[in-house]
Amino acid sequence: MNFKTLYYIFGVILLSTLVSCLGDSYEEEYFISPDAEITAFSIKNDAISTDLANVVFSIDQKNGLIYNQDSAQYGLVLSEKVILTISNVVGGWIYNIADNDSTLITTGDSIDLSTKIKIRSYSATGQYKDYSVMLNIHQVDPDSMVWKKTMGDIDFLETPETKTILNNDIFYTFSKEENKVNLYSYSYSDLIANTKTSTITNLPSDAVLEQIQSYKDNVVTFTNSGDLYKASKSDMSVWNKIELDAGYLVRAVLGTVDKIDALSLIVNKGEGNIYALYKDNSWLYGSKVPENFPLQSFSSISYTNVEKGRLFVSGGITATSCSTIDGLEWMNQGNSLPGLIQAANIFRYNNQFYLLNGKSTTYNQIVYSSVDQGNTWQESASKMNLPKEYTYRENASVVIDSNNKVYIIGGKNDARFTPDIWEGKLNKLN
């Protein structure tokens, strides 16, 4: 049946209805909407995917488009037709006009969305509006990590000790060279090409670069002789000593405890190591540090969970994990790391903890993840792993920029340095 025949029949019925109504009373007014817009569109088919019903379609009335802004799951195959829920104004009609077809469609009908289709919506008065309909499907695996090498053979990474931090998307690499520490700053847009070099002042050559930590608007580290130093992030080339209470020496700088804005450390006064907290130029002291607490070759993460600021520390020669909410009392999470991996990189990304790099008997070639803040770890899917050409390493730096890119910078592999920069990004964060 073609459109003209349908509308002839529909027009006769409509006219008869109006005459009948007008015959009953001349006081009532009747309005028939000329609006032909589609007001709702959704699909489902559990045989294809139970998630299909959760796909939300947008209706672009101006351009006549019906589509899902958030693409459906990667790998979805429309092997069968989908069940349609569709509506327009009361009294309207909707047709599938793809490939010159003119099939009347309504809620509950099956429709093939494996290709783009076109539908025409008629109002009760005969006006119509055309729409193109498409189901967008992720064309790349959202849970894959895409890694690439962005720069190699960087001179200032070929030194025994380096540490890179990121501040306002500017990279700052501290490099220990010939009994002094130099600072190199560069942006990603001109990576390495226009590097600014600064000579560090007031920071002794025995500074422990691997434990440079952020504290408020500063960076902080200590020396092997037990002194504590800080520099403003606005000028990280100038360092100044932080006064300790009499008799105390610093043995580790653990990081900042979120929410309370305090620096957590381990100090010693000749009777064993104890926890300490530095805040607003004042010192607080906690209990004795157990022997298996990591003092070096560890990673630390400052984060907020359930409205509480937390600091997580893991690694060292025992691969122990511990966390705190006040910097003075620590909860031992046990030897939760997957093996005695030392000098690895543990970082928070996509609301999970990730672990890569590091060394036990051999170099770790697996990316691990933890969804419970480091209590348990599992091997991530192979699609997260670094590529074959990557040199596995220890003592690297990992930073994350404002665009969710993860950078691996420098490190060592046995007697060889790894003077390069790698970047990766989870597809779902693009």
Side-chain angles (χ1 to χ4, degrees):
M1 185 180 295
N2 60 32
F3 291 136
K4 290 183 178 180
T5 304
L6 278 171
Y7 270 89
Y8 175 78
I9 296 171
F10 176 69
V12 171
I13 295 171
L14 181 63
L15 182 61
S16 300
T17 303
L18 289 175
V19 171
S20 174
C21 291
L22 290 173
D24 292 340
S25 172
Y26 291 99
E27 295 180 0
E28 295 187 32
E29 294 184 1
Y30 293 86
F31 173 75
I32 301 175
S33 173
D35 188 357
E37 292 182 346
I38 289 177
T39 56
F41 188 97
S42 63
I43 60 174
K44 68 176 183 177
N45 188 328
D46 291 348
I48 297 175
S49 171
T50 55
D51 292 331
L52 202 58
N54 297 322
V55 175
V56 177
F57 283 88
S58 298
I59 304 176
D60 181 349
Q61 303 291 4
K62 180 179 179 181
N63 297 300
L65 298 173
I66 300 175
Y67 64 101
N68 53 317
Q69 291 183 344
D70 294 329
S71 296
Q73 65 196 51
Y74 172 77
L76 178 68
V77 177
L78 295 174
S79 55
E80 301 179 29
K81 292 183 177 181
V82 299
I83 308 301
L84 186 66
T85 298
I86 190 168
S87 61
N88 59 1
V89 296
V90 176
W93 303 74
I94 303 172
Y95 289 86
N96 181 358
I97 58 173
D99 299 327
N100 297 317
D101 191 10
S102 57
T103 305
L104 181 67
I105 55 175
T106 186
T107 291
D109 286 348
S110 297
I111 192 169
D112 183 4
L113 276 184
S114 59
T115 59
K116 185 188 296 185
I117 68 168
K118 196 167 187 178
I119 59 177
R120 177 169 292 171
S121 174
Y122 283 91
S123 71
T125 57
Q127 284 86 348
Y128 69 87
K129 186 176 181 65
D130 289 345
Y131 294 85
S132 293
V133 182
M134 67 172 69
L135 174 63
N136 293 319
I137 300 172
H138 276 295
Q139 298 304 302
V140 294
D141 188 343
D143 296 317
S144 288
M145 195 83 162
V146 179
W147 295 98
K148 67 177 181 179
K149 184 178 179 178
T150 60
M151 186 68 64
D153 299 322
I154 303 169
D155 290 343
F156 57 76
L157 293 177
E158 293 192 87
T159 62
E161 195 174 347
T162 65
K163 176 66 178 283
T164 300
I165 67 170
L166 198 61
N167 184 43
N168 295 325
D169 281 353
I170 301 296
F171 297 83
Y172 293 87
T173 297
F174 297 87
S175 179
K176 192 174 289 188
E177 308 163 37
E178 298 178 353
N179 294 321
K180 66 178 181 178
V181 180
N182 287 328
L183 176 64
Y184 300 86
S185 56
Y186 43 97
S187 65
Y188 180 74
S189 60
D190 59 358
L191 197 61
I192 308 305
N194 295 307
T195 301
K196 178 183 178 182
T197 306
S198 303
T199 301
I200 300 290
T201 59
N202 300 335
L203 184 64
S205 60
D206 67 339
V208 181
L209 299 190
E210 73 170 31
Q211 290 190 28
I212 291 177
Q213 305 279 6
S214 290
Y215 170 56
K216 294 186 176 180
D217 294 326
N218 306 303
V219 286
V220 179
T221 193
F222 75 110
T223 65
N224 286 322
S225 55
D227 294 322
L228 187 64
Y229 285 82
K230 73 174 180 178
S232 170
K233 287 184 178 178
S234 62
D235 185 1
M236 285 183 271
S237 65
V238 179
W239 291 71
N240 294 293
K241 186 184 287 188
I242 297 175
E243 292 301 322
L244 304 173
D245 286 345
Y248 283 99
L249 299 175
V250 177
R251 293 297 179 231
V253 180
L254 303 177
T256 299
V257 183
D258 269 9
K259 293 292 188 180
I260 65 173
D261 287 330
L263 184 67
S264 179
L265 309 96
I266 292 176
V267 298
N268 186 292
K269 200 179 180 181
E271 297 180 356
N273 295 329
I274 61 173
Y275 299 116
L277 202 67
Y278 178 72
K279 182 178 182 180
D280 299 328
N281 300 319
S282 297
W283 289 91
L284 293 173
Y285 302 101
S287 58
K288 187 176 180 178
V289 178
E291 291 185 1
N292 64 344
F293 194 96
L295 297 179
Q296 59 187 9
S297 298
F298 63 81
S299 290
S300 64
I301 303 174
S302 298
Y303 68 103
T304 298
N305 184 44
V306 195
E307 299 303 317
K308 284 188 177 293
R310 300 173 188 271
L311 177 62
F312 171 84
V313 172
S314 187
I317 59 174
T318 60
T320 300
S321 298
C322 301
S323 62
T324 183
I325 60 174
D326 63 9
L328 297 176
E329 298 294 331
W330 287 76
M331 180 181 72
N332 191 324
Q333 297 179 197
N335 299 59
S336 63
L337 291 187
L340 297 178
I341 301 176
Q342 299 182 49
N345 299 107
I346 303 175
F347 54 97
R348 195 164 187 257
Y349 184 65
N350 189 37
N351 295 319
Q352 298 184 40
F353 285 5
Y354 285 92
L355 181 153
L356 49 75
N357 292 323
K359 183 181 181 181
S360 53
T361 54
T362 59
Y363 283 97
N364 169 43
Q365 300 185 19
I366 298 171
V367 178
Y368 294 94
S369 61
S370 172
V371 297
D372 56 8
Q373 291 78 52
N375 284 300
T376 59
W377 293 87
Q378 52 278 330
E379 185 175 332
S380 298
S382 58
K383 54 193 173 186
M384 293 290 295
N385 284 350
L386 288 144
K388 292 181 180 179
E389 58 269 26
Y390 178 79
T391 301
Y392 294 98
R393 62 197 71 189
E394 59 185 329
N395 293 310
S397 296
V398 167
V399 296
I400 303 170
D401 72 7
S402 59
N403 291 316
N404 294 309
K405 284 186 178 180
V406 179
Y407 296 89
I408 303 171
I409 303 171
K412 293 186 294 183
N413 179 292
D414 292 331
R416 296 185 300 125
F417 297 108
T418 52
D420 53 23
I421 298 177
W422 286 77
E423 70 171 77
K425 188 173 184 179
L426 200 61
N427 279 329
K428 70 169 62 176
L429 301 180
N430 282 317

